[in-house]
Amino acid sequence: MTIDILYFAWVRERIGLPRETVETAAPTVAALVDELRAREERYAAAFADLSALRVALDQDMAGFDAPLAGVREVAFFPPMTGG
Amino acid sequence: MTIDILYFAWVRERIGLPRETVETAAPTVAALVDELRAREERYAAAFADLSALRVALDQDMAGFDAPLAGVREVAFFPPMTGG
Amino acid sequence: MAVRVQAEAFDHGAEVAAFGQGGRDTGAVVTFLGIVRDDSGRMTAMEIEHYPGMTERALQAIEAEARARWDLTDCLILHRHGRLAPGEPIMMVATGSRHRAAAFAAAEFLMDYLKSRAPFWKKEIGDDGAAWVAARDEDEAALSRWQPKG
Amino acid sequence: MAVRVQAEAFDHGAEVAAFGQGGRDTGAVVTFLGIVRDDSGRMTAMEIEHYPGMTERALQAIEAEARARWDLTDCLILHRHGRLAPGEPIMMVATGSRHRAAAFAAAEFLMDYLKSRAPFWKKEIGDDGAAWVAARDEDEAALSRWQPKG
């Protein structure tokens, strides 16, 4: 399936781009993260500590164990600091 | 001693004046209230239910058992409803 | 820091714009604005009586207590008296602090104490007569949360 | 009722003046104003990144939850993004209700959820470099008070 991946804040800076489109068969977010980590050092660095990351699926917060079936947009970012 | 007595809100309306000066030897607020009640029906009506009244001595909240020695200004009023 | 008691209308926006100026350490400003509400639909005015002298004293004491409890960068209490129309602002408080928790807590504290401890009395004037507003039990009860447990 | 996400500056006073108009049942308006604080004294700017689309969605969900929990006569959430200078307003919320308790509670709820659940990230730009603001444990902890006990 084709998925848009978005990166924000220091995740974006570490990976070096704000968004990309990937072809993947990963069944869960965690599986997608494993695929990304295997690509290049900058991905491995960005995803080194999942406890420092949050994920949204189609703009709703989700867990790393969430299934990717039917998802169009995945976003990775640090804990929010608005307000 | 000479004391200024101030009345506010419905206490003022019931007694019919905003302030008056009295000569009294009352040792406490409660004793002063007894003297006022004995004066006229409108005072008796205003002071009928002390639980519905509050008192301030020289502009600080006090109880009905507070002594009057040294006090210049006594105010009677219902519970506050500001804000 | 200011306590003001006045008959004149005030501009909430202008007060807030002037609030907490001059420092770079205010990160949070909380304001409360009280407005004359017309529950019955028949109110023509709200008359607010107060105790000149004691009012300022009570508000200053309440403000000093808030400043002792929380680290505030600025604080304002403004209350009107006299005759107001439905929809008119009655009063406001504003609190400034580095973080939101202190600003919120101090503003609620100021309101709770002001409601039950500052000498103001409201009278509703309507087509069909006038009535003093009764104190609400929950306003008195609200004070208990600021008292030491034990 | 409104949720706005914008790069442009806003006028807190004008927003409040326009707030809750049209009804005679708003007796209490609580506002929170967030301002860029310069703790170090060396900050030149605050850069606020957000997630367009999800931001509006998250704020609308937070607002809907507040309206379900409290009887509000009006509600506003406004948050800026982009580059701001120290002292500039970042965001505001406003809540209107008949009585103060609901207006205060709803404003605090909106702030607590917005802090930890709306996709904004702050970066401090200084003379000596830039750093992302870290999430504060107490912001996450603040959410627990709104969850059902049990």
Side-chain angles (χ1 to χ4, degrees):
Chain A
M1 60 192 158
T2 306
I3 290 182
D4 287 326
I5 309 186
L6 282 64
Y7 308 109
F8 292 98
W10 59 253
V11 184
R12 172 180 54 72
E13 291 179 339
R14 212 165 286 186
I15 291 177
L17 76 177
R19 66 188 301 154
E20 59 186 318
T21 303
V22 302
E23 279 295 324
T24 179
T28 65
V29 176
L32 175 64
V33 167
D34 284 340
E35 286 182 9
L36 292 169
R37 273 178 179 144
R39 283 179 162 191
E40 280 180 56
E41 175 51 31
R42 58 196 168 105
Y43 287 94
F47 289 104
D49 177 11
L50 292 193
S51 75
L53 290 180
R54 300 289 180 270
V55 60
L57 302 183
D58 289 331
Q59 307 189 353
D60 279 323
M61 299 301 294
F64 283 89
D65 55 352
L68 283 185
V71 169
R72 311 277 301 260
E73 183 173 297
V74 178
F76 295 103
F77 41 79
M80 290 104 150
T81 56
Chain B
M1 60 192 158
T2 305
I3 290 183
D4 287 326
I5 309 187
L6 281 65
Y7 307 109
F8 292 97
W10 59 254
V11 184
R12 171 179 55 70
E13 291 181 338
R14 211 165 284 185
I15 292 176
L17 75 178
R19 66 188 301 154
E20 60 187 317
T21 302
V22 302
E23 278 297 321
T24 180
T28 65
V29 176
L32 175 64
V33 167
D34 285 339
E35 288 181 7
L36 292 169
R37 273 180 180 143
R39 282 181 163 191
E40 282 180 55
E41 174 51 32
R42 57 196 169 105
Y43 287 94
F47 290 105
D49 177 11
L50 292 193
S51 75
L53 290 180
R54 300 291 179 269
V55 59
L57 301 182
D58 289 331
Q59 306 189 354
D60 279 325
M61 299 301 293
F64 283 89
D65 55 351
L68 283 185
V71 169
R72 311 278 301 262
E73 182 173 299
V74 178
F76 295 105
F77 42 78
M80 290 102 149
T81 55
Chain C
M1 309 302 156
V3 162
R4 278 155 52 199
V5 182
Q6 62 187 49
E8 300 72 38
F10 62 89
D11 178 341
H12 175 267
E15 297 295 339
V16 177
F19 188 81
Q21 292 299 315
R24 294 186 125 195
D25 50 355
T26 299
V29 174
V30 170
T31 75
F32 177 91
L33 176 65
I35 297 168
V36 178
R37 206 179 59 234
D38 178 15
D39 280 334
S40 64
R42 294 194 307 269
M43 198 201 295
T44 54
M46 172 84 84
E47 186 86 36
I48 299 172
E49 182 171 339
H50 78 121
Y51 182 171
M54 179 171 168
T55 309
E56 291 77 1
R57 225 174 125 86
L59 295 181
Q60 274 154 11
I62 292 166
E63 194 210 41
E65 177 67 23
R67 293 169 55 68
R69 288 184 183 224
W70 292 280
D71 191 11
L72 303 180
T73 52
D74 204 350
C75 186
L76 168 69
I77 306 177
L78 196 167
H79 205 300
R80 296 176 69 188
H81 57 85
R83 184 170 283 238
L84 311 184
E88 269 195 272
I90 303 177
M91 54 82 61
M92 66 173 286
V93 307
T95 55
S97 190
R98 287 169 45 79
H99 294 294
R100 75 188 185 286
F104 269 119
E108 291 196 68
F109 173 90
L110 291 175
M111 287 305 303
D112 284 352
Y113 271 81
L114 188 155
K115 278 264 174 192
S116 301
R117 294 292 181 268
F120 291 101
W121 301 274
K122 292 197 189 105
K123 189 181 196 175
E124 293 182 1
I125 318 290
D127 296 339
D128 46 0
W132 291 97
V133 173
R136 303 194 313 153
D137 288 344
E138 55 262 52
D139 283 335
E140 187 65 34
L143 294 184
S144 65
R145 62 174 159 159
W146 307 108
Q147 272 136 34
K149 310 280 190 299
Chain D
M1 309 300 157
V3 162
R4 278 155 53 199
V5 182
Q6 62 188 47
E8 299 73 37
F10 62 90
D11 179 341
H12 175 268
E15 297 295 340
V16 177
F19 187 80
Q21 292 301 314
R24 294 186 125 196
D25 51 352
T26 299
V29 174
V30 170
T31 75
F32 178 91
L33 176 65
I35 298 168
V36 178
R37 207 179 60 235
D38 179 15
D39 280 336
S40 64
R42 293 194 306 271
M43 196 201 296
T44 53
M46 172 84 84
E47 186 86 36
I48 298 172
E49 182 170 339
H50 79 121
Y51 182 170
M54 179 172 170
T55 309
E56 291 79 0
R57 223 174 127 86
L59 295 181
Q60 275 154 10
I62 292 165
E63 193 211 41
E65 178 68 22
R67 294 169 55 68
R69 289 185 182 223
W70 293 280
D71 190 11
L72 302 180
T73 52
D74 204 350
C75 186
L76 169 69
I77 305 176
L78 195 167
H79 204 299
R80 296 176 67 188
H81 58 85
R83 183 170 283 237
L84 311 184
E88 269 195 90
I90 304 176
M91 53 82 61
M92 67 173 287
V93 307
T95 54
S97 191
R98 288 167 45 78
H99 294 293
R100 74 187 186 286
F104 269 119
E108 291 196 68
F109 173 90
L110 291 175
M111 287 305 303
D112 284 352
Y113 271 81
L114 188 155
K115 278 265 174 192
S116 301
R117 294 291 181 269
F120 291 100
W121 300 274
K122 292 197 188 105
K123 190 180 195 174
E124 294 183 1
I125 318 289
D127 296 339
D128 47 359
W132 291 96
V133 172
R136 303 193 314 154
D137 288 342
E138 55 263 54
D139 283 335
E140 187 65 33
L143 294 184
S144 64
R145 63 175 158 158
W146 305 109
Q147 272 136 33
K149 311 279 190 301

